[in-house]
Amino acid sequence: MSLLIHLIYCSATTYPMQDADLVSLLETSRKNNAKAKITGILLHENGSFFQVLEGTQEAVEQLYERILHDNRHTKVVTIIREPIAKRTFGEWTMGFVKLDSQELDEIIGLNDFFAEGSSFTQLGAGRAKKLLAAFRKGRWRSKVKNQSPVQQKDGEKEVSLKSATSHISKISFAFQPIVDVEEHRVIAYEALIRGQKNEDFSNIVPEISEQEWLQFDTSCRAIAISTAARLGLPSDLHLNFMARQVKDARSAIQSTLEAAERNGINLNRIVLEIDQDKLIGDSQHFAQIIEEYRGVGLRVSIDHFGAGRAALKLLEILRPDMIALNIQIVRDIDTNGARQAIVRGVTQTCDDLGIDIVAKDVNSVEEYQWFLDEGITLIQGNLIASPAFEQFPAPQYL
Amino acid sequence: MDLFLPNFSFAFQPIVNVLAGQVEAFEVLVRGSNGESASQVFQKVHEANRYCFDETLRVNAIRNAVDLGVNCYLNLNFLPRSIEVSKTAVSSLIEVAKESGFPVNKIFLEVTESEVINDFLWFAKAINYYRNFGVNFAIDDFGAGFSGLNLLAEFQPDSIKIDMSLVRNIDSHGPRQAIVRGIIRTCQDLGIDIIAEGVETDREYQWFCEEGIELFQGYFFAKPGFEHLPVAFFPNYEP
């Protein structure tokens, strides 16, 4: 089976479109799309198009090439092009919504605009949905002036999970929830490495050689997964990705996916947290490896965003599903204007790209309240729940 | 020491204010005495002399600019480590400016993002000291390296120059647009001016205009002029 991708773009109509124009455009595209097995949605509002195309890579690319040269529109901006695990608009050869801006503002779920009784709120959570939400907020409108997810690769090197190094036997995990404080819901637990008696990780493994590190990292995630499975994981699971060399990334991810399968945890519940500062090698290459696994549902989060090397450029290169703001940005944000300005800028970018933001290490009510006021509702920190050794602690909502 | 330094000269490229329709600043670019590129010149400089050369360049750049009659801002490239290496790194420049009658508060020192990253707390402290004299600071190539935003948490420059890797084809590149909008938001909140550098096409220019950017640099407006101040092209400004 070939790669399933979605491609989302926006553009501006070259002339004012009448209903008849839109209907004819839609009829042609439905016919062609059915043939090419392309699904998606097309929004039109006051001269702006916003379209999601889903299908096999060949089919989507072929169609997009034609779309780029279609003279009915101009200012075509490619927003995202990435592999997906499954289609969001599986039932529509091309769902079509015509909106005016007032309706767009009024409707929270875009409910009434979808044909066949399906609604925006029923769409699976995913990038396409988030980008639709961004469009609703007025983003991604191309305007002309003066006019009103992959098949797993075979043949990967098998990585055995022998607990060969002596360090491994000393390892266990604590878990800390990441909660949506608006919905009062735990969206995930992060597995935090500990000693077997809940000691600090840094005391346990003072020195692991470079040669041992890949296996150590890989084994850690396997233990985290099996521990989480044994404890009855109630949500998604965030795992730290500690491989130090980009060249090792593929086998490290592959073995993690295998561990998840062995333990009956669906891959789309796993989020890898990446610390760019500790990863040596080419970011582009790393992004390619991640891309291969997007198709099977794997998600990635950039940890320590805004600190060290984990910065803006990575959003373009890596296209994460999520970023985490950590202690360097979070601490005392309620009184630190520079940090506030940074988070506002990051929020703007992430909103436009459909990337979720988690505020980590939130320790005070004031920090908590500031994030909430900015619309950041995914919170992790001792204020909500401290990590608990080999259990899933319940959050305390404020 | 001078014996080990190659011959050099300068080229000047304008930074334009498209709203005011005037040249805001000239960036001084190092060239060989026959117009060779900056990298060719720096290749000939021994590592040990690098900071000394850096300092010599700035002092000469000011004299040169005054000779050519520059009366707007003057942007000079600056290696932050030179503060560490040479006590006179900035003071020599202030002295020359005073001597030649060029206002110190019209000098911008441009620091590349990647050079700051190692120890920006220290850097911020040093820079703020020189700010007392009226020297302005800009972060060059912003968004190209990996420090970016957190740099702004510790140190707010007077302006940033958005790196050309983010500028190139921005009119058709969604993620770049999103990233630059975020940068704009943060800088507006912190009162930092934004310069779009390396702008080459009308479409790139239009995109930034629509986002409210007024300061530009790039071939679209003027190429660097070797040993002279080139005339800039001013396109229509329609925000």
Side-chain angles (χ1 to χ4, degrees):
Chain A
M1 201 181 101
S2 63
L3 190 69
L4 192 64
I5 69 168
H6 68 184
L7 189 154
I8 304 175
Y9 75 88
C10 61
S11 64
T13 58
T14 39
Y15 55 91
M17 290 250 167
Q18 307 300 323
D19 283 2
D21 298 323
L22 292 166
V23 168
S24 100
L25 184 150
L26 206 59
E27 271 172 7
T28 343
S29 79
R30 282 203 173 123
K31 212 163 53 197
N32 292 337
N33 293 349
K35 243 184 281 168
K37 293 201 171 68
I38 284 176
T39 52
I41 187 171
L42 174 67
L43 304 182
H44 175 261
E45 190 248 326
N46 189 24
S48 301
F49 281 125
F50 179 92
Q51 184 164 32
V52 180
L53 302 168
E54 304 172 326
T56 62
Q57 185 165 28
E58 302 79 56
V60 171
E61 297 289 0
Q62 225 172 52
L63 173 61
Y64 194 53
E65 194 52 39
R66 280 213 307 277
I67 287 174
L68 283 173
H69 293 102
D70 191 324
N71 58 17
R72 284 173 294 189
H73 69 174
T74 177
K75 295 199 140 188
V76 183
V77 174
T78 313
I79 300 171
I80 205 139
R81 179 197 321 232
E82 66 189 354
I84 47 172
K86 61 179 176 47
R87 295 172 191 250
T88 307
F89 301 94
E91 285 141 41
W92 294 304
T93 45
M94 193 46 64
F96 175 69
V97 187
K98 184 170 146 268
L99 311 153
D100 67 44
S101 35
Q102 198 193 349
E103 287 169 319
L104 207 58
D105 289 343
E106 281 170 4
I107 305 303
I108 288 166
L110 293 178
N111 293 353
D112 302 333
F113 296 100
F114 285 89
E116 295 157 32
S118 299
S119 77
F120 182 68
T121 44
Q122 287 167 346
L123 291 180
R127 183 113 52 193
K129 181 174 181 174
K130 290 176 197 160
L131 286 173
L132 282 171
F135 181 79
R136 206 179 70 219
K137 283 194 234 163
R139 307 271 166 63
W140 301 123
R141 308 293 172 90
S142 284
K143 281 264 163 79
V144 172
K145 278 190 186 160
N146 309 323
Q147 186 189 308
S148 8
V150 187
Q151 272 304 90
Q152 231 161 287
K153 281 206 170 165
D154 293 328
E156 293 291 345
K157 197 179 83 189
E158 282 279 319
V159 173
S160 64
L161 282 176
K162 288 173 286 181
S163 49
T165 61
S166 55
H167 312 295
I168 298 302
S169 60
K170 297 177 190 158
I171 291 296
S172 189
F173 284 86
F175 296 91
Q176 188 177 33
I178 300 167
V179 300
D180 185 322
V181 294
E182 208 167 55
E183 293 180 12
H184 281 212
R185 189 169 63 89
V186 172
I187 64 153
Y189 279 93
E190 179 180 359
L192 298 158
I193 188 165
R194 293 286 189 271
Q196 286 243 304
K197 297 194 179 86
N198 197 22
E199 313 93 299
D200 189 5
F201 162 65
S202 50
N203 296 338
I204 302 303
V205 190
E207 274 180 34
I208 299 169
S209 71
E210 280 304 312
Q211 289 79 14
E212 286 174 311
W213 189 265
L214 171 63
Q215 191 180 14
F216 176 74
D217 168 55
T218 302
S219 308
C220 278
R221 275 193 304 281
I223 293 168
I225 289 170
S226 66
T227 309
R230 176 167 57 82
L231 296 170
L233 177 69
S235 64
D236 289 351
L237 182 64
H238 282 224
L239 300 168
N240 286 286
F241 186 79
M242 303 181 293
R244 284 173 175 170
Q245 304 279 345
V246 165
K247 65 180 171 55
D248 294 335
R250 186 174 281 121
S251 54
I253 294 172
Q254 183 65 31
S255 66
T256 299
L257 299 192
E258 283 160 15
E261 256 167 37
R262 271 199 311 278
N263 287 281
I265 291 180
N266 200 318
L267 296 175
N268 60 22
R269 295 174 69 191
I270 304 247
V271 177
L272 287 184
E273 294 197 1
I274 308 214
D275 186 345
Q276 185 67 23
D277 270 355
K278 303 214 171 80
L279 193 62
I280 299 157
D282 178 26
S283 302
Q284 298 274 7
H285 182 207
F286 183 65
Q288 279 165 16
I289 296 171
I290 293 292
E291 202 83 318
E292 291 170 21
Y293 290 93
R294 280 258 163 81
V296 292
L298 182 76
R299 283 170 294 155
V300 295
S301 171
I302 298 179
D303 210 1
H304 302 281
F305 190 84
R309 290 160 66 212
L312 291 168
K313 198 73 177 168
L314 271 184
L315 297 182
E316 183 181 325
I317 297 170
L318 205 55
R319 275 165 294 148
D321 301 275
M322 218 176 259
I323 62 160
L325 307 170
N326 299 58
I327 193 160
Q328 305 91 332
I329 292 274
V330 169
R331 190 60 66 246
D332 300 324
I333 192 153
D334 50 297
T335 58
N336 187 315
R339 286 179 198 162
Q340 291 180 3
I342 290 166
V343 172
R344 289 206 183 98
V346 169
T347 305
Q348 162 100 55
T349 300
C350 288
D351 269 3
D352 281 6
L353 291 175
I355 296 168
D356 286 329
I357 300 177
V358 180
K360 279 190 171 186
D361 302 307
V362 172
N363 278 359
S364 77
V365 178
E366 290 78 15
E367 291 164 1
Y368 171 90
Q369 194 57 48
W370 189 87
F371 284 107
L372 221 57
D373 291 345
E374 289 297 317
I376 294 172
T377 60
L378 302 181
I379 308 277
Q380 179 179 359
N382 292 349
L383 185 71
I384 305 290
S386 300
F389 187 63
E390 295 187 351
Q391 45 180 307
F392 296 117
Q396 289 281 336
Y397 296 105
L398 302 188
Chain B
M1 190 72 93
D2 279 350
L3 288 175
F4 304 107
L5 300 179
N7 291 325
F8 59 86
S9 186
F10 298 101
F12 297 82
Q13 189 177 30
I15 295 168
V16 298
N17 183 327
V18 292
L19 180 65
Q22 65 189 30
V23 172
E24 180 90 3
F26 279 101
E27 178 178 356
V28 187
L29 302 155
V30 178
R31 293 288 184 267
S33 47
N34 296 313
E36 297 92 334
S37 73
S39 59
Q40 280 174 303
V41 175
F42 277 102
Q43 265 169 23
K44 294 182 196 153
V45 182
H46 192 272
E47 188 60 34
N49 292 338
R50 196 155 170 239
Y51 297 99
C52 169
F53 185 53
D54 193 43
E55 190 175 336
T56 310
L57 285 177
R58 280 192 302 278
V59 166
N60 282 279
I62 291 180
R63 292 200 179 109
N64 236 290
V66 170
D67 288 346
L68 289 172
V70 172
N71 55 10
C72 53
Y73 286 97
L74 191 66
N75 285 40
L76 306 167
N77 291 287
F78 182 73
L79 299 166
R81 289 223 345 117
S82 24
I83 304 179
E84 239 175 327
V85 176
S86 159
K87 288 211 180 341
T88 56
V90 179
S91 56
S92 63
L93 165 141
I94 292 171
E95 233 165 78
V96 169
K98 282 181 179 160
E99 261 170 42
S100 41
F102 192 84
V104 175
N105 61 11
K106 288 213 158 179
I107 295 175
F108 259 93
L109 294 183
E110 292 190 8
V111 180
T112 301
E113 184 192 82
S114 55
E115 287 163 346
V116 182
I117 190 169
N118 292 326
D119 187 358
F120 54 70
L121 270 180
W122 171 84
F123 172 75
K125 220 174 120 188
I127 290 298
N128 285 331
Y129 172 74
Y130 290 109
R131 274 183 153 173
N132 289 337
F133 296 94
V135 180
N136 306 286
F137 284 88
I139 303 289
D140 201 5
D141 304 332
F142 191 86
F146 288 99
S147 69
L149 289 174
N150 66 322
L151 176 65
L152 301 183
E154 307 301 339
F155 166 66
Q156 291 85 47
D158 301 280
S159 60
I160 61 151
K161 298 174 92 173
I162 295 179
D163 186 64
M164 58 175 89
S165 68
L166 286 172
V167 170
R168 192 63 58 248
N169 297 325
I170 193 160
D171 49 288
S172 62
H173 196 295
R176 264 169 223 170
Q177 295 181 0
I179 289 169
V180 171
R181 283 200 195 103
I183 292 174
I184 292 173
R185 176 79 207 267
T186 298
C187 288
Q188 280 170 347
D189 282 7
L190 292 173
I192 298 167
D193 285 336
I194 296 172
I195 298 160
E197 76 177 328
V199 173
E200 287 182 1
T201 69
D202 186 46
R203 297 173 68 158
E204 290 165 357
Y205 166 69
Q206 291 298 341
W207 189 87
F208 280 101
C209 273
E210 283 166 27
E211 294 296 323
I213 301 299
E214 294 163 6
L215 300 174
F216 290 89
Q217 182 178 3
Y219 280 21
F220 185 62
F221 308 92
K223 292 182 180 175
F226 182 62
E227 295 180 349
H228 73 275
L229 305 179
V231 176
F233 162 64
F234 286 95
N236 290 334
Y237 179 66
E238 294 174 60

